[in-house]
Amino acid sequence: MSVSIGQPVPDVTATATGDNTVSLSELKGRQVVIYFYPKASTPGCTTEGGDFRDRKPDFDAANTVILGVSRDGVRAQENFKTKQGFNFELISDKDETVCGVFDVIKLKKLYGKEHLGIERSTFLIDAEGRLAKEWRGVKVPGHAQEVLEAAQTLQKGSLDVG
Protein backbone atom coordinates (compact mmCIF):
# COMPACT_ATOMS: atom_id res chain seq x y z
CA MET A 1 0.00 0.00 0.00
CA SER A 2 1.36 3.37 -0.97
CA VAL A 3 1.13 6.50 1.16
CA SER A 4 -0.97 9.41 -0.15
CA ILE A 5 -0.51 13.19 0.00
CA GLY A 6 -1.73 14.56 3.33
CA GLN A 7 -1.62 11.14 5.01
CA PRO A 8 0.78 10.08 7.79
CA VAL A 9 3.77 8.15 6.48
CA PRO A 10 4.11 4.76 8.21
CA ASP A 11 7.11 4.54 10.50
CA VAL A 12 9.88 2.57 8.83
CA THR A 13 13.28 1.74 10.22
CA ALA A 14 16.18 1.09 7.86
CA THR A 15 19.92 0.52 7.86
CA ALA A 16 21.88 3.57 6.77
CA THR A 17 25.45 4.62 6.21
CA GLY A 18 27.70 5.52 9.14
CA ASP A 19 26.49 2.50 11.17
CA ASN A 20 23.16 4.30 11.61
CA THR A 21 19.62 3.07 11.78
CA VAL A 22 17.08 5.59 10.59
CA SER A 23 13.47 5.62 11.80
CA LEU A 24 11.02 8.12 10.38
CA SER A 25 9.37 8.48 13.80
CA GLU A 26 12.68 9.76 15.24
CA LEU A 27 12.71 12.57 12.66
CA LYS A 28 9.35 14.08 13.70
CA GLY A 29 9.67 17.81 14.20
CA ARG A 30 11.83 18.05 11.09
CA GLN A 31 10.85 17.86 7.45
CA VAL A 32 12.27 14.89 5.56
CA VAL A 33 13.21 14.50 1.91
CA ILE A 34 13.49 10.86 0.90
CA TYR A 35 14.79 10.39 -2.60
CA PHE A 36 14.93 6.98 -4.26
CA TYR A 37 17.53 6.26 -6.90
CA PRO A 38 18.11 3.11 -8.98
CA LYS A 39 21.78 2.33 -8.28
CA ALA A 40 24.73 3.77 -6.36
CA SER A 41 27.70 5.10 -8.33
CA THR A 42 25.88 5.41 -11.66
CA PRO A 43 25.98 8.71 -13.58
CA GLY A 44 22.41 9.95 -13.01
CA CYS A 45 22.40 8.89 -9.37
CA THR A 46 25.78 10.54 -8.78
CA THR A 47 24.54 13.81 -10.32
CA GLU A 48 21.31 13.72 -8.31
CA GLY A 49 23.13 13.01 -5.03
CA GLY A 50 25.61 15.79 -5.76
CA ASP A 51 22.77 18.24 -6.37
CA PHE A 52 21.27 17.39 -2.96
CA ARG A 53 24.73 17.51 -1.34
CA ASP A 54 25.43 20.98 -2.72
CA ARG A 55 22.10 22.30 -1.39
CA LYS A 56 22.30 20.67 2.05
CA PRO A 57 23.01 23.96 3.92
CA ASP A 58 19.79 25.36 2.41
CA PHE A 59 17.85 22.20 3.33
CA ASP A 60 19.28 22.46 6.88
CA ALA A 61 18.08 26.08 7.05
CA ALA A 62 14.61 24.81 6.05
CA ASN A 63 14.69 22.25 8.92
CA THR A 64 14.82 19.42 6.37
CA VAL A 65 16.70 16.12 6.58
CA ILE A 66 17.84 14.48 3.31
CA LEU A 67 17.89 10.69 2.94
CA GLY A 68 18.86 8.81 -0.21
CA VAL A 69 17.53 5.26 -0.73
CA SER A 70 18.41 2.44 -3.11
CA ARG A 71 18.49 -1.35 -3.00
CA ASP A 72 22.29 -1.36 -2.85
CA GLY A 73 23.98 -2.96 0.15
CA VAL A 74 25.44 -0.89 2.98
CA ARG A 75 29.03 -1.28 1.72
CA ALA A 76 28.08 0.02 -1.75
CA GLN A 77 26.21 2.90 -0.12
CA GLU A 78 29.19 3.72 2.15
CA ASN A 79 31.56 3.73 -0.84
CA PHE A 80 29.18 5.92 -2.86
CA LYS A 81 28.72 8.37 0.04
CA THR A 82 32.48 8.60 0.73
CA LYS A 83 33.54 8.91 -2.91
CA GLN A 84 30.98 11.66 -3.62
CA GLY A 85 31.37 13.47 -0.29
CA PHE A 86 27.66 13.19 0.46
CA ASN A 87 26.79 15.03 3.68
CA PHE A 88 23.62 13.05 4.39
CA GLU A 89 22.85 9.38 5.04
CA LEU A 90 22.09 6.79 2.39
CA ILE A 91 19.72 3.94 3.21
CA SER A 92 20.28 0.36 2.11
CA ASP A 93 16.86 -1.09 1.29
CA LYS A 94 17.79 -4.54 0.02
CA ASP A 95 14.50 -6.03 1.27
CA GLU A 96 12.53 -3.17 -0.35
CA THR A 97 10.66 -2.27 2.88
CA VAL A 98 11.06 1.49 2.38
CA CYS A 99 10.51 1.14 -1.38
CA GLY A 100 7.24 -0.67 -0.65
CA VAL A 101 5.89 2.09 1.59
CA PHE A 102 6.36 4.60 -1.22
CA ASP A 103 5.51 2.19 -4.08
CA VAL A 104 8.62 2.96 -6.14
CA ILE A 105 9.40 -0.53 -7.49
CA LYS A 106 8.19 -0.48 -11.08
CA LEU A 107 8.55 -2.61 -14.19
CA LYS A 108 11.34 -1.03 -16.23
CA LYS A 109 12.98 -1.79 -19.57
CA LEU A 110 16.72 -1.83 -20.09
CA TYR A 111 18.20 -2.87 -23.43
CA GLY A 112 14.85 -4.43 -24.37
CA LYS A 113 14.66 -6.57 -21.22
CA GLU A 114 12.03 -5.99 -18.54
CA HIS A 115 12.98 -6.00 -14.86
CA LEU A 116 11.70 -4.62 -11.59
CA GLY A 117 13.64 -1.63 -10.38
CA ILE A 118 13.40 1.65 -8.52
CA GLU A 119 11.61 4.46 -10.32
CA ARG A 120 13.55 7.64 -9.52
CA SER A 121 11.19 9.34 -7.06
CA THR A 122 11.33 11.91 -4.25
CA PHE A 123 9.01 12.49 -1.30
CA LEU A 124 8.73 15.46 1.05
CA ILE A 125 7.38 14.68 4.52
CA ASP A 126 6.23 17.48 6.80
CA ALA A 127 7.36 17.97 10.41
CA GLU A 128 4.29 16.08 11.66
CA GLY A 129 5.17 13.02 9.56
CA ARG A 130 2.59 13.50 6.77
CA LEU A 131 3.40 13.21 3.08
CA ALA A 132 3.41 16.78 1.74
CA LYS A 133 4.59 16.33 -1.86
CA GLU A 134 5.83 13.65 -4.21
CA TRP A 135 7.75 13.58 -7.47
CA ARG A 136 7.69 10.39 -9.55
CA GLY A 137 9.60 9.54 -12.72
CA VAL A 138 12.10 12.25 -11.80
CA LYS A 139 14.42 13.81 -14.33
CA VAL A 140 17.62 14.83 -12.51
CA PRO A 141 18.41 18.31 -13.95
CA GLY A 142 16.90 20.98 -11.69
CA HIS A 143 15.15 18.44 -9.45
CA ALA A 144 17.03 19.05 -6.17
CA GLN A 145 16.38 22.80 -6.52
CA GLU A 146 12.66 22.18 -7.05
CA VAL A 147 12.56 19.95 -3.94
CA LEU A 148 14.46 22.59 -1.94
CA GLU A 149 11.95 25.28 -2.95
CA ALA A 150 9.06 23.02 -1.89
CA ALA A 151 10.77 22.33 1.48
CA GLN A 152 11.28 26.06 2.03
CA THR A 153 7.66 26.79 1.14
CA LEU A 154 6.43 23.99 3.41
CA GLN A 155 8.53 25.29 6.29
CA LYS A 156 6.89 28.70 5.91
CA GLY A 157 3.53 26.92 6.12
CA SER A 158 2.32 27.89 2.69
CA LEU A 159 2.61 24.61 0.74
CA ASP A 160 -0.88 23.39 -0.07
CA VAL A 161 -0.97 19.85 1.33
CA GLY A 162 -3.72 17.70 -0.19
Side-chain angles (χ1 to χ4, degrees):
M1 187 190 95
S2 178
V3 66
S4 305
I5 300 288
Q7 297 299 310
V9 176
D11 186 29
V12 288
T13 300
T15 303
T17 48
D19 286 328
N20 289 307
T21 301
V22 174
S23 294
L24 288 181
S25 61
E26 293 172 359
L27 297 173
K28 276 215 172 99
R30 298 191 69 190
Q31 297 176 167
V32 181
V33 166
I34 299 181
Y35 79 95
F36 291 84
Y37 56 94
K39 188 152 182 55
S41 301
T42 56
C45 301
T46 299
T47 299
E48 184 178 27
D51 288 348
F52 279 109
R53 174 198 63 217
D54 295 348
R55 288 166 179 78
K56 185 172 184 295
D58 294 323
F59 278 103
D60 289 344
N63 191 34
T64 305
V65 176
I66 303 168
L67 296 170
V69 182
S70 76
R71 298 184 301 178
D72 295 290
V74 175
R75 179 177 288 152
Q77 297 286 48
E78 288 284 4
N79 291 343
F80 187 36
K81 179 183 173 186
T82 301
K83 185 173 181 191
Q84 300 305 324
F86 292 158
N87 45 10
F88 52 87
E89 301 306 334
L90 300 178
I91 291 173
S92 169
D93 193 32
K94 284 177 94 76
D95 65 4
E96 299 177 3
T97 303
V98 184
C99 290
V101 167
F102 293 93
D103 189 29
V104 297
I105 302 293
K106 304 290 180 190
L107 191 60
K108 298 169 79 173
K109 267 194 171 152
L110 185 64
Y111 306 119
K113 291 191 169 137
E114 291 188 334
H115 70 283
L116 287 173
I118 290 180
E119 176 186 49
R120 192 181 304 277
S121 307
T122 303
F123 301 86
L124 176 59
I125 301 168
D126 71 16
E128 281 78 52
R130 293 183 309 262
L131 183 61
K133 193 162 174 59
E134 64 181 24
W135 294 262
R136 294 184 180 269
V138 166
K139 301 289 182 247
V140 172
H143 177 62
Q145 183 62 36
E146 185 182 336
V147 175
L148 173 62
E149 289 166 9
Q152 291 167 331
T153 301
L154 180 60
Q155 187 201 21
K156 291 176 190 147
S158 53
L159 184 67
D160 183 27
V161 176

